[in-house]
């Protein structure tokens, strides 16, 4: 069992009080116009979810303590949901997606939707709970999706190197360096 980082412990604790709250969600909505290869975008999202363990991690508990459980891409449940929508309903739908809560003990707290407004007009919505991502994570995540989409649109897999470190590695390092609350000798 991979323990929670100190920051994740706080987010996990707060989520236990109100799983319906979207207060700790980090949303992004991107309007897309032009020809969109939806299957390539869906494959690109799978590529990014595969690349970043945190995008396929949920946080169950054992004896009242949360931990990180990394799933494989298929088991993660993180997929691109596609829905047709009228242009005048987009703002309300984005708001619903952004503010809907997650139960981080039951599901990977990432939501991806492609709202189709009509011919060559879309809004891509990404929502992640703060236990999974932070404000600094959104830009690299979108960049990786764009990189993978460009590759998939050309019929290729993205040519990136595997990441040298995942968030779980950082968490284990943090616990090793700081020690434990019940150890008076630890930092």
């Amino acid at each position: 069992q991979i323990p929670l980082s100190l920051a994740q412990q706080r987010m996990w604790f707060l989520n236990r009080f109100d799983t319906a709250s979207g207060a700790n969600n980090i949303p992004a909505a991107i309007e897309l116009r032009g020809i969109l290869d939806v299957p390539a975008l869906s494959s690109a999202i799978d590529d990014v979810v595969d690349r970043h363990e945190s995008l396929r991690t949920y946080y169950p508990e054992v004896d009242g303590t949360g931990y990180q459980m990394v799933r494989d891409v298929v088991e993660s449940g993180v997929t691109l949901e596609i829905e047709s929508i009228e242009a005048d309903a987009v703002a309300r739908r984005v708001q619903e997606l952004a503010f809907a809560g997650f139960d981080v003990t039951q599901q990977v707290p990432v939501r991806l939707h492609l709202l189709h407004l009509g011919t060559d007009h879309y809004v891509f919505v990404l929502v992640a709970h703060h236990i999974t991502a932070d404000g600094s994570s959104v830009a690299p995540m979108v960049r990786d999706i764009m990189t993978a989409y460009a590759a998939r649109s050309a019929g290729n897999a993205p040519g990136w190197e595997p990441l040298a470190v995942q968030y779980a590695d950082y968490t284990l390092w943090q616990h090793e360096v700081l020690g434990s609350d019940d150890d008076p000798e630890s930092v």
Side-chain angles (χ1 to χ4, degrees), residues 12 16 59-67 105:
W12 186 87
R16 303 314 326 123
Y59 309 87
E61 69 178 279
V62 172
D63 299 326
T65 300
Y67 66 94
T105 66

Side-chain angles (χ1 to χ4, degrees), residues 165-180:
V165 177
Q166 296 284 347
Y167 194 80
D169 298 315
Y170 163 76
T171 300
L172 294 172
W173 170 83
Q174 183 184 60
H175 281 268
E176 182 180 318
V177 169
L178 297 179
S180 171

Side-chain angles (χ1 to χ4, degrees), residues 41-103:
L41 179 59
S42 185
S43 293
I45 287 168
D46 288 345
D47 292 329
V48 173
V49 170
D50 185 49
R51 179 174 172 79
H52 298 278
E53 286 181 355
S54 62
L55 298 178
R56 50 192 165 89
T57 300
Y58 76 112
Y59 309 87
E61 69 178 279
V62 172
D63 299 326
T65 300
Y67 66 94
Q68 299 180 55
M69 176 63 74
V70 181
R71 292 183 163 167
D72 68 26
V73 174
V74 174
E75 290 178 336
S76 74
V78 178
T79 59
L80 181 63
E81 301 293 329
I82 303 164
E83 58 186 283
S84 295
I85 192 167
E86 297 296 321
D88 61 352
V90 170
R92 182 177 65 253
R93 184 63 179 136
V94 169
Q95 188 174 29
E96 289 169 357
L97 293 168
F99 290 108
F102 293 102
D103 182 344

Side-chain angles (χ1 to χ4, degrees), residues 11-12 14-27 55 57-59 76-78 96-113 125-133:
M11 290 293 110
W12 186 87
L14 292 172
N15 184 255
R16 303 314 326 123
F17 283 109
D18 188 1
T19 59
S21 174
N24 290 304
N25 290 353
I26 299 170
L55 298 178
T57 300
Y58 76 112
Y59 309 87
S76 74
V78 178
E96 289 169 357
L97 293 168
F99 290 108
F102 293 102
D103 182 344
V104 303
T105 66
Q106 300 297 314
Q107 69 188 112
V108 174
V110 175
R111 163 179 320 124
L112 301 163
H113 283 251
V125 182
L126 178 154
V127 182
H129 190 278
H130 193 41
I131 198 169
T132 294

